[in-house]
Amino acid sequence: MTGALAPSKPLSAVDRCDRCGAQAYVRAVLAGGGDLLFCAHHGRRFSEALRAGGADIQDETDRLIETPAIAPDKER
């Protein structure tokens, strides 16, 4: 996440990738207003170009490797 990004609510399971419809883990806030949502795959693919165009990127892909809170103790 960049320091310039205004605080926004975390992405949830209802947020979907604008390219493929998978769960979104990346939000690109465009310099001209508005935002785009991407899955981890499309976020990696487009983030560099979007940053170069002045977009701020909210990257929550680290959530993909978290252990769920409901996992049994032996899996934590």
Side-chain angles (χ1 to χ4, degrees), residues 7-19:
S8 59
K9 66 180 188 175
L11 295 166
S12 71
V14 297
D15 294 310
R16 310 312 287 181
C17 177
D18 290 327
R19 291 289 295 184

Side-chain angles (χ1 to χ4, degrees), residues 9-67:
K9 66 180 188 175
L11 295 166
S12 71
V14 297
D15 294 310
R16 310 312 287 181
C17 177
D18 290 327
R19 291 289 295 184
C20 69
Q23 183 172 346
Y25 289 94
V26 178
R27 174 183 283 125
V29 180
L30 306 175
D35 62 357
L36 297 170
L37 301 177
F38 296 107
C39 63
H41 165 79
H42 286 113
R44 283 189 299 272
R45 184 171 177 189
F46 298 116
S47 288
E48 187 175 322
L50 287 163
R51 266 195 195 98
D56 287 315
I57 307 296
Q58 175 185 349
D59 185 343
E60 298 183 12
T61 55
D62 57 328
R63 293 179 28 219
L64 291 167
I65 57 172
E66 291 178 351
T67 302

